[in-house]
């Protein structure tokens, strides 16, 4: 939620998912959402959430996680927070999240592609440098282990809501993320 490094955003996109994914043609495809309903002349959006989605730690994904993520985005001045400038109020309603907007907005769901964290993450826990922090999302890959200042290992999430490895194109068992100090070291490592 707070990184300014695009490479971190892309790598963490393997671990975390948003409510929607914005496609190249600027349409919003549901990811953790099952759909949405716009009402009151596009001033109120009800986003319905998928059932049976689990975080990597086994906890169940729900509306409280979305609300807690938004609370943290605002409290810790996330780079995603400005997407919610038009939101007057947001709240959980069963297995849905309701967004009441200050003024009508036709493309609002395209702004809901920020990563959702579990509500169990202590407020600001993701924002503090800590060797004990473990990224927990709902994505295709989950954190396996880290070699301090060297590399991070991600493994396939066997409980992923999007399907089993045999149902997914381009399935890769594990991903090793190597920390590189500078571009020269990166080129050398790549070679």
């Amino acid at each position: 939620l707070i990184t300014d490094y695009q490479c971190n955003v892309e790598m963490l996109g393997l671990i975390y998912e948003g409510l929607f994914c914005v496609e190249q043609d600027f349409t919003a495809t549901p990811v953790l959402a099952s759909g949405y309903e716009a009402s009151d002349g596009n001033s109120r959006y009800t986003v319905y959430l998928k059932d049976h989605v689990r975080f990597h730690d086994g906890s169940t994904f729900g509306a409280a996680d979305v609300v807690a993520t938004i609370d943290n985005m605002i409290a810790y001045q996330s780079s995603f927070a400005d997407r919610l400038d038009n939101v007057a109020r947001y709240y959980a309603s069963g297995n849905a999240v309701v967004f009441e907007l200050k003024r009508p907005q036709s493309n609002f769901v395209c702004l809901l592609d920020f990563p959702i964290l579990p509500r169990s993450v202590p407020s600001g826990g993701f924002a503090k440098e800590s060797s004990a922090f473990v990224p927990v999302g709902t994505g295709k890959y989950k954190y396996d282990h880290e070699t301090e200042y060297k590399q991070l290992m991600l493994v396939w999430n066997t409980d992923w809501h999007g399907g089993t490895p045999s149902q997914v194109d381009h399935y890769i068992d594990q991903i090793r993320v190597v920390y590189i100090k500078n571009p020269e070291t990166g080129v050398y490592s790549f070679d």
Side-chain angles (χ1 to χ4, degrees), residues 19 32-35 46-53 60-66 91-98 119:
L19 296 174
L32 292 175
S34 61
T46 304
V47 176
Y48 302 101
L49 305 180
K50 283 185 177 177
D51 293 321
H52 312 295
V53 174
T60 303
F61 162 75
D65 300 299
V66 177
Y91 54 92
S93 176
N95 198 31
V97 179
V98 178
R119 64 185 169 272

Side-chain angles (χ1 to χ4, degrees), residues 112-183:
L112 303 178
D113 63 344
F114 50 83
I116 303 298
L117 281 66
R119 64 185 169 272
S120 62
V121 172
S123 183
F126 62 90
K128 297 175 185 150
E129 189 171 322
S130 168
S131 59
F133 179 75
V134 173
V136 175
T138 57
K140 292 179 186 179
Y141 292 91
K142 63 183 180 176
Y143 173 90
D144 185 58
H145 70 277
E146 184 172 3
T147 306
E148 193 170 357
Y149 304 114
K150 299 245 186 241
Q151 67 182 2
L152 172 78
M153 291 299 295
L154 304 177
V155 296
W156 181 263
N157 176 12
T158 57
D159 197 27
W160 184 54
H161 62 94
T164 63
S166 61
Q167 299 169 322
V168 177
D169 290 340
H170 310 295
Y171 165 67
I172 297 172
D173 232 17
Q174 59 184 359
I175 297 173
R176 180 173 57 131
V177 178
V178 179
Y179 303 138
I180 305 292
K181 291 180 182 181
N182 54 49

Side-chain angles (χ1 to χ4, degrees), residues 57-123:
D57 64 2
S59 62
T60 303
F61 162 75
D65 300 299
V66 177
V67 170
T69 296
I70 295 170
D71 289 345
N72 278 320
M73 284 171 45
I74 293 167
Y76 293 92
Q77 301 170 357
S78 166
S79 58
F80 296 104
D82 62 345
R83 297 175 185 206
L84 304 173
D85 285 347
N86 190 28
V87 176
R89 186 173 163 224
Y90 58 93
Y91 54 92
S93 176
N95 198 31
V97 179
V98 178
F99 296 89
E100 295 176 1
L101 306 183
K102 297 172 187 173
R103 58 195 170 283
Q105 187 172 356
S106 61
N107 65 342
F108 178 70
V109 294
C110 288
L111 302 175
L112 303 178
D113 63 344
F114 50 83
I116 303 298
L117 281 66
R119 64 185 169 272
S120 62
V121 172
S123 183

